[in-house]
Amino acid sequence: MLDSIRALWRSSKRAARVSPEARTPAKAQPGHAAPRTSQPAPLYGPQKMPVSAEQVAAMRAEVGAAVAQGIVAQPTEAQWAMILSSHPATCVVAGAGSGKSTTLVLRVVFMWCHLGIPPEDMTVISFTRASCEELRHSLQRVLSFEPWRQRLAPEDAAHLEERCRTLVSTFHAALGRVSRRVWGRAEWFDLIEPNATLRDERADDLDNPVLGGPLTKGQRDLLNTAYRSLFNEDRVFRQHIIALLRHECDRHTLLRRNSAEVKHLQLASERDLELAQRIQARWGKDWVLPGVDPTPFVAFRANNLPFYANGRIIKTGMPIFLSLGGMKDDKFLFSKDDRIGQGKRAFSVVGALTIRRQIIERYCDREVLHLDHTEKLEWLRYRLEHLADEDFRNVSAPAFDVQLRGEPKAVGVVEAFYAQANFMESLGLDVAQACQRAQGQLASGSSEWHFCAALARFWPSFEAQLRSLAVPMRRFNRAFLDLGEQAPTQPAVPADALRPFTHLLIDEFQDISPQIVSWLRAMQRRVRALGAAPSLMAIGDDWQSIYGWRGSAPDLFIDFARHFPVHPQLGGPLQCRLMDNFRSVEPILRDAERIVAAVGVKVDKQAQPRRRADPALDHGVRLIKGVQVRRDPKAVVAAIHEQLAFVRSLARSDKNKILVLSRSNETLNTVEKALRKAGGVKPGEVRFETFHRAKGLQGEVAILCENCVYEESHPLRNAIYAASGLFRQSYDEAARDEALRLAYVAVTRGIRRVLWFVDQPKGASALLPSRP
Ligand SMILES: Nc1ncnc2c1ncn2[C@@H]1O[C@H](COP(=O)(O)OP(=O)(O)OP(=O)(O)O)[C@@H](O)[C@H]1O
Ligand SMILES: [Mg+2]
């Protein structure tokens, strides 16, 4: 079966165009977690899991009874193959709505109640906390069915909720438990904010590439400390940062000419000379130093508007800005009542200083010195007398925004470092090495080239800082790597901490990253070294892989046999294919398949609709053009009311009547607000989710509110992809495919109808036929 997948893959148009070198497995390089090269030792087999005919017969009989009581639906034969598998490595290739998650629950029941595998030896993994919650809930409900409950050990039956809670886990929670046993308790950098609500919001944002996971203040502070000290200590790093800043400044002065910020700049510029003089007056006689010209002068221009430094170092011309923080002798130089400017234009001096600081950071493309404390004058005097000018190091590290090409928005430079480093780590790469290799693929001197050079120096320095804290801090990605196959020293994991890794069942496997694959293999190799026989059931739909932007790769699922080696006696992993679709009517499925047809690298399959459509009422995707939902949500609100009337008229409906889906939270908020204002909706009837968060959900009608298209080019990530040797496609090609898959996920949420509002059809929506 797997050969047929490979054949399908090879025959796909895009794969046919891939160069022969790209198709051969990449060579293992230091810092790489995947792919595997020479024939690795088998991880599974040769023994199968002992499954007897009696166990199978008993399970079938009990499922029959559960079906009769409406506890579960009657599994199809394909689903039975998954439930009863005796193979230690099973790969379940399925379509959307084919009952993957539902059948996974029955597989766990079979393993626990019939094969006698205790929950301590299993882990069921899903990606988000919401989907874990749903799985736990179904598992607990199904295991409460009397024949199965009776088969549980009395201790397990008495603590069923707790057992299910531990059994079903995200990758990160499972990693957290092992890390604690290996290295003891520690703070996680990734969870710095001890505020549950904030963490929840962040977790949601993590699912949305438009927002990206924003850092908390605590995280940003640690990153900034590392950044500032490296900027002062490392001349090469400083040069790259300044070059990067110049690139950004050029971009800003060009791009922002007509933006609101220009107005802001104009006001700031008009008061700038007065501001410089006011500060200077407060510093008074302190501000007279040999070697310094203390006369304000135009140090730089932003959008051609002048901005003043307080003076300059005579020998080098380096501008000096005073009191950017507004402090002298540990007191604020100005109170909040101090104003600058007259009448309507009067503005607080403290506010004006803050704005000036931001303007300098953003727009000044030369090295400057800023002195925010009189003590710094002493330091400056010392330097001017004793050291060569080029040794100036205490130039404050600039805090500025970077928008790498291909990224949806500009973020602070340390945030950009953090995001791209995490992406590289998810691919199982060592950040410094990956950056160095990627530089070879980038235009020398480009913004991305400097970014890579700076990140290669920053990341090891940041990691060293985390290690040196009084209470050391750990990062999830570092822990995955340190427990993975490529770790230079393999930490010993206590046998009882390894037990849950004996039998792994992983839902949504298409979204796994190379780094996690390396970690899982390393954990199961440890299990095997203890003499136990590990097993893995990977359940997924490569058409629904939507986390490539975060470093996941559908290739790992598509090429399962290569990444999870099975003993030759077993002739490869077991393939189960679930092609029935229990969710959506046929017109929806066929439209969804039209979209996926344009995906370059995929497994070919066709869903068999099991739900009968009512041609008078149900329909595929109805595209409504010419609507900019964020500007004017009226049309969507009207559609929600109309579709609600339809769903309310049905004898039976799903718990989600209407799912409103969009790529960004902003659009969802706009519609939600407009709907609240319009009224007419009962609580729980309409659910709002981003395309990413909607995975695994369903609703009678799905209403999509935004195009789903990737039109960018991301030179940095293309370079990382190319340098890693892991992928057949460039990052841009993979991201274009991913936008189509995201649209596939969104469309297949609908049970009976899908409406899609777009301004102009683009990307996925352009692949759909126009219908009245
Ligand atoms: N054998 C079956 N008979 C009838 N209905 C079924 C069967 N198996 C699953 N279903 C129903 O199909 C719907 C989709 O199931 P489920 O969410 O498990 O699919 P999935 O493959 O995990 O979907 P997704 O790809 O969105 O994650 C659910 O309403 C479920 O109850
Ligand atoms: Mg599912």
Side-chain angles (χ1 to χ4, degrees), residues 72-77 79 94-104 106 134-135 141 507-508 510 539-541 544 578 580-584 610-611 654 694-698 744-745 748-749 751:
V72 294
Q74 178 62 48
T76 61
E77 275 315 305
Q79 289 174 334
S98 56
K100 293 183 291 296
S101 306
T102 315
T103 314
L104 171 59
L106 287 178
E134 220 155 90
L135 274 174
R141 187 178 58 82
D507 200 7
E508 311 276 8
Q510 72 280 353
I539 304 151
D541 174 6
Q544 294 189 67
L578 307 186
D580 291 307
N581 183 299
F582 294 96
R583 179 180 295 142
S584 309
R610 296 287 295 250
R611 180 181 282 271
D654 190 83
K695 196 139 72 112
L697 302 178
Q698 57 186 30
Y744 171 83
V745 168
T748 54
R749 298 310 95 194
I751 296 173

Side-chain angles (χ1 to χ4, degrees), residues 627-649:
V627 183
Q628 286 187 359
V629 178
R630 208 180 300 180
R631 281 213 188 141
D632 185 7
K634 273 201 304 291
V636 176
V637 171
I640 294 174
H641 283 132
E642 194 185 321
Q643 297 305 320
L644 255 183
F646 159 65
V647 181
R648 283 177 187 153
S649 73

Side-chain angles (χ1 to χ4, degrees), residues 269 272-273 276 295-302 304-312 317 319-321 364 366:
S269 175
D272 201 60
L273 180 58
T295 325
F297 75 104
V298 176
F300 69 98
R301 287 178 178 272
N304 225 9
L305 300 164
F307 287 87
Y308 290 84
N310 294 87
R312 73 183 102 201
I320 306 175
F321 292 88
C364 181
R366 53 201 287 199

Side-chain angles (χ1 to χ4, degrees), residues 391-439:
D391 278 342
F392 267 122
R393 300 198 308 173
N394 213 355
V395 184
S396 299
F400 60 105
D401 285 353
V402 178
Q403 182 164 12
L404 292 170
R405 274 184 291 161
E407 285 291 319
K409 60 173 188 167
V411 293
V413 63
V414 293
E415 254 157 321
F417 281 156
Y418 184 70
Q420 302 307 327
N422 274 301
F423 173 75
M424 295 172 203
E425 287 183 332
S426 298
L427 299 180
L429 306 173
D430 172 88
V431 173
Q433 286 175 14
C435 284
Q436 279 153 10
R437 273 190 235 126
Q439 265 191 292

Side-chain angles (χ1 to χ4, degrees), residues 70 120 156 225 259 328 350 362 391 506 561 581 671 685 708:
E120 298 87 319
D156 291 341
T225 309
S259 70
K328 182 188 169 190
V350 175
R362 270 213 181 149
D391 278 342
I506 304 177
N581 183 299
V671 177
E685 284 186 317
C708 192

Side-chain angles (χ1 to χ4, degrees), residues 40-51:
L43 188 44
Y44 308 100
Q47 276 79 35
K48 287 195 163 185
M49 297 164 89
V51 175

Side-chain angles (χ1 to χ4, degrees), residues 636-692:
V636 176
V637 171
I640 294 174
H641 283 132
E642 194 185 321
Q643 297 305 320
L644 255 183
F646 159 65
V647 181
R648 283 177 187 153
S649 73
L650 300 173
R652 278 181 57 190
S653 71
D654 190 83
K655 70 172 188 261
N656 295 319
K657 289 189 166 61
I658 312 281
L659 276 182
V660 181
L661 307 175
S662 178
R663 199 168 164 89
S664 70
N665 275 324
E666 285 93 336
T667 306
L668 291 177
N669 292 341
T670 311
V671 177
E672 205 172 351
K673 218 164 119 192
L675 183 66
R676 218 177 305 128
K677 210 164 150 202
V681 174
K682 294 193 200 104
E685 284 186 317
V686 183
R687 183 164 174 177
F688 292 85
E689 298 290 354
T690 58
F691 292 160
H692 281 90

Side-chain angles (χ1 to χ4, degrees), residues 324-335:
L324 291 170
M327 298 281 285
K328 182 188 169 190
D329 299 333
D330 285 335
K331 288 199 191 76
F332 284 110
L333 283 175
F334 296 96
S335 83

